[in-house]
Amino acid sequence: MSYKESTTPPDGYDVGRENMLDFKIDEQFEMLEQSDAKNFILTTVDEVFNWAKLSSIWPVTFGLACCAIEMIAASATRYDIDRFGAGAFRATPRQADLMIVSGTVTAKMARRLKLIYDQMPEPKWVMAMGSCAIGGGPYFKYGYHVVKGVDYMVPVDIYVPGCPPRPEVLLEGLMRLQDKIRGRQGKMVTPKWVQDYAKKIPYQK
Amino acid sequence: MEANAIYELLAEKIGDGALGFDGEAIDPVADVAPASIVDACTFLRDDERCGFNQLMCLSGIDWDGYDENGKGKSVKILGYTELGEPETTDRVSDGDFGVVYNLFSHKHKHKFTLRVRVPREVASVPTICNLWETANWHEREAWDLVGIRFEGHPDLRRMLMEESWVGHPLRKDYQMPDEWENVPLRGQDYAKNPFPPLAPADPVTPDAPAGDKPAEG
């Protein structure tokens, strides 16, 4: 049932106004449904945008504890997080996409962390790096001042375990975040070739 | 100068304020009455033979669980349970509080240690921050974490925790907070899965044409 069939013009509605539009939505949709390349333009734009987002993730300069040393090492020449486009650590959250919570989130720091997260523009992602940021870590038992996981304060996209995690693990977490961004928006969550390939895989019984 | 000689000079100066001396310890320590601590520190700093011009450290002590001589095992302090709940207890702490002053002389290259013991319900020691400027922040930290009030301190605010914090965390009877100013400090039950299992995905993808079923096998 098309748009025209499903709705009747209400009283006082100028039907002639619809003919004044320079395009007609229904006809465009019907053309798309009949053609082989349906939704082609829309999904491709989303893919391009996601590719741009994941290729230049700018983290905010935000080091809390010893995990920050590993984060610094990951951005230095030996590991070089700039290979993945995430080497531009911004000094202000208003220019950043990613917040790497690298270290222990104390009670005093938690409110500042929430403030920094709120200042970041959309789209934004959070990576919890290390045991302390994931769940309190060694401060779970007697840490009177430690938030038992940064996901109490802000939503977390990627958890990177370790105490502290080596730079390779941080790079791995970054690549998994890129995978997440790649499938974030648009109808084309799973590429067509992946769907076709998945159909050939027999179900496990 | 040896610590024994320093203590003899000190005992001669403050008289009854000198309560005892332990020369066998790694750091020879003299026990001083709280009322005499300012006189003792002033003497040790200004006397030519002592010349202690630096306060290396000032520490607060909670002697809860220890006997009169400061020996014994510590009591079990409260923490969080495995499920993240703050632990509680009915035990009432009764140990004394103490303050330890570590002194050093750059002129004579010798060290000395003073120790003050106050009852738990008093928890008040005269300040010495007009003798050594270093004592200002050290006393603030001892007040913040152990809760020993230093009488006469010009600016006795909390050092590490925020002003709105309740309690003194390094006391033996400190109970872990549940939250502080809407910041959650309790843990979570990791036995519970925070991520509920997803509904089984429809094998027919929305983009697939009608009638195209996944291969069985």
Side-chain angles (χ1 to χ4, degrees), chain B residues 67-80:
Chain B
D67 58 7
E68 291 298 323
N69 299 320
K71 306 293 183 184
K73 285 192 175 181
S74 173
V75 296
K76 183 181 182 300
I77 63 175
L78 299 177
Y80 293 95

Side-chain angles (χ1 to χ4, degrees), chain B:
Chain B
M1 191 185 293
E2 292 297 321
N4 290 323
I6 295 173
Y7 179 69
E8 288 174 2
L9 290 175
L10 181 65
E12 183 183 351
K13 173 69 178 175
I14 63 175
D16 294 336
L19 301 179
F21 178 67
D22 184 7
E24 303 298 323
I26 297 174
D27 282 334
V29 56
D31 286 320
V32 179
S36 308
I37 185 64
V38 177
D39 292 338
C41 288
T42 308
F43 170 73
L44 290 175
R45 186 191 67 162
D46 294 338
D47 191 79
E48 284 295 325
R49 296 161 293 181
C50 300
F52 289 103
N53 58 346
Q54 186 188 12
L55 176 71
M56 289 197 298
C57 189
L58 186 149
S59 311
I61 295 177
D62 187 356
W63 264 304
D64 183 26
Y66 288 77
D67 58 7
E68 291 298 323
N69 299 320
K71 306 293 183 184
K73 285 192 175 181
S74 173
V75 296
K76 183 181 182 300
I77 63 175
L78 299 177
Y80 293 95
T81 62
E82 293 180 356
L83 304 183
E85 302 285 338
E87 292 177 348
T88 57
T89 183
D90 296 333
R91 199 183 75 86
V92 178
S93 298
D94 55 353
D96 290 344
F97 284 131
V99 180
V100 173
Y101 306 83
N102 298 96
L103 307 177
F104 182 71
S105 169
H106 282 90
K107 183 179 178 183
H108 303 293
K109 301 287 190 292
H110 56 199
K111 294 194 290 186
F112 198 64
T113 305
L114 297 174
R115 189 166 60 189
V116 168
R117 194 180 185 110
V118 291
R120 193 179 191 87
E121 56 272 13
V122 176
S124 176
V125 175
T127 182
I128 58 163
C129 69
N130 52 351
L131 298 176
W132 294 284
E133 287 293 323
T134 313
N136 193 320
W137 280 21
H138 279 123
E139 288 177 350
R140 280 177 61 186
E141 186 176 352
W143 155 248
D144 186 1
L145 298 179
V146 192
I148 299 169
R149 182 173 289 279
F150 291 89
E151 296 300 329
H153 193 285
D155 187 22
L156 195 63
R157 288 178 292 131
R158 284 181 180 271
M159 190 72 197
L160 300 173
M161 318 304 293
E162 295 236 1
E163 279 298 314
S164 61
W165 195 269
V166 178
H168 303 283
L170 292 192
R171 285 190 175 189
K172 296 284 180 62
D173 57 349
Y174 180 71
Q175 183 177 336
M176 297 289 165
D178 194 33
E179 67 170 19
W180 169 73
E181 289 191 352
N182 299 324
V183 174
L185 294 170
R186 58 188 298 167
Q188 64 182 355
D189 188 357
Y190 281 98
K192 295 178 184 174
N193 187 0
F195 307 105
L198 299 173
D202 190 1
V204 180
T205 58
D207 288 340
D212 188 3
K213 299 296 182 184
E216 297 289 334

